């Protein structure tokens, strides 16, 4: 998948590197061309380094498994020979070392317009203050495209639910917006994968277009996370308000995750 990212900051870095590592082609964009190019090169190197390490670990495990299978086959051959039965050679498995090589995706740098045109899916990851200027710089390139909106309000204590960011992005661009990835600090998205107490992080998605939602689910899964249906785009303002609320709790030193009980203790729920 080709992923264009409007922005070259922390969220672009964290999520873009993960998606490049998963094999996607990524283009980031920013106002400072030199800094954006430097960031892209750093992301490409980080994705390749991690992928190489994972590939080495996978190939080592596969080699160990192959050695164990060969030893077992040899023992079987001896036993078969003793019983006068012809030995057979085990078939090569798809997990053998020579079938495990995978190429890491590359991260390129471009202008906002270039990133918008490049992406089959485009992520909006700029500060709220520069959002409108950034969107206008893309012209008509975002019209009809799946857009992943990760933007939070600049002032969490003054969030206005009557002016949702996701709806603004949809109205300005004509794109199919999915609100996602806005509830966690950037460092969470650098984790590989984000798993807590054995439970993968759940990522709520709010959007109306099924194609855009399908793309978002793929990108969530590529992080090792679980996509969760959060409803239509009209509910994105609830997701934005939730971010403002829990970020405020975290800033105050509270464990925001502790405000809700586990599902099993939350009562009987269902849609009738």
């Amino acid at each position: 998948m080709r992923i264009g990212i409007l922005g070259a900051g922390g969220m672009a870095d964290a999520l873009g590197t993960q998606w490049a590592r998963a094999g996607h082609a990524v283009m980031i964009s920013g106002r400072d061309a030199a800094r954006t190019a430097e960031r892209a090169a750093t992301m490409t190197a980080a994705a390749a380094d991690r992928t190489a390490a994972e590939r080495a670990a996978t190939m080592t495990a596969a080699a160990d498994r192959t050695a164990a299978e060969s030893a077992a086959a040899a023992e079987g051959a001896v036993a078969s020979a003793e019983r006068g039965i012809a030995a057979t050679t085990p078939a090569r498995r798809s997990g053998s070392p020579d079938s495990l090589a995978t190429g890491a995706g590359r991260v390129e740098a471009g202008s906002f317009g270039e990133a918008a045109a490049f992406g089959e899916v485009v992520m909006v990851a700029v500060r709220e203050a520069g959002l409108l200027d950034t969107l206008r710089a893309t012209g008509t390139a975002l019209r009809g495209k799946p857009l992943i909106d990760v933007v939070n309000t600049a002032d969490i204590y003054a969030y206005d639910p009557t002016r949702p960011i996701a709806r603004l992005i949809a109205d300005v661009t004509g794109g199919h917006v999915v609100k996602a990835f806005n509830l966690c600090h950037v460092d969470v998205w650098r984790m590989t994968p984000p798993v807590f107490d054995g439970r993968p992080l759940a990522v709520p998605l709010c959007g109306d277009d099924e194609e855009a939602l399908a793309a978002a689910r793929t990108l969530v899964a590529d992080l090792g996370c679980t996509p969760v249906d959060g409803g239509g785009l009209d509910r994105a303002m609830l997701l934005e308000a939730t971010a403002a609320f829990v970020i405020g709790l975290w800033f105050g030193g509270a464990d925001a995750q502790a405000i809700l009980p586990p599902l099993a203790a939350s009562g009987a729920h269902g849609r009738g």
Side-chain angles (χ1 to χ4, degrees):
M1 189 186 301
R2 295 191 312 277
I3 305 169
I5 300 180
L6 304 183
M11 288 291 281
D13 180 12
L15 289 168
T17 300
Q18 296 279 37
W19 290 328
R21 186 174 297 145
H24 299 291
V26 177
M27 179 182 286
I28 62 173
S29 55
R31 290 181 174 81
D32 187 320
R35 291 180 62 181
T36 302
E38 183 179 350
R39 171 80 81 174
T42 300
M43 292 168 66
T44 298
D49 287 349
R50 180 74 186 209
T51 302
E54 291 173 346
R55 186 186 308 139
T58 302
M59 294 182 69
T60 298
D64 290 343
R65 186 168 58 249
T66 300
E69 291 171 351
S70 297
E75 292 178 3
V78 171
S80 297
E82 291 175 348
R83 296 195 304 270
I85 302 174
T88 59
T89 302
R92 181 179 296 277
R93 295 192 176 190
S94 61
S96 58
D98 57 357
S99 68
L100 294 174
T102 57
R106 180 176 177 79
V107 181
E108 301 180 45
S111 67
F112 293 130
E114 288 169 338
F118 171 85
E120 298 169 278
V121 176
V122 177
M123 182 173 78
V124 183
V126 295
R127 295 183 183 276
E128 185 184 20
L131 178 59
L132 278 176
D133 287 344
T134 299
L135 296 178
R136 288 167 180 157
T138 66
T140 61
L142 298 178
R143 187 169 297 163
K145 281 192 176 183
L147 306 182
I148 309 298
D149 164 28
V150 308
V151 181
N152 280 325
T153 184
D155 185 351
I156 60 172
Y157 299 106
Y159 173 69
D160 184 355
T162 68
R163 300 175 61 191
I165 296 168
R167 176 55 64 187
L168 171 67
I169 294 173
D171 290 344
V172 171
T173 65
H176 300 303
V177 176
V178 177
K179 191 78 184 190
F181 303 109
N182 70 313
L183 294 183
C184 295
H185 189 274
V186 63
D187 287 345
V188 172
W189 304 123
R190 300 186 195 282
M191 299 174 67
T192 52
V195 174
F196 303 91
D197 296 326
R199 182 179 63 182
L201 184 69
V203 180
L205 309 174
C206 292
D208 294 330
D209 184 79
E210 186 50 45
E211 181 182 350
L213 286 166
R217 292 186 195 106
T218 296
L219 297 179
V220 169
D222 284 342
L223 302 178
C225 298
T226 303
V228 176
D229 178 12
L233 192 62
D234 60 325
R235 293 177 62 84
M237 63 91 173
L238 297 176
L239 195 50
E240 294 171 3
T242 298
F245 184 74
V246 299
I247 290 170
L249 293 180
W250 283 320
F251 280 173
D255 182 358
Q257 190 180 40
I259 66 176
L260 297 174
L263 177 62
S266 67
H269 302 287
R271 296 179 180 178

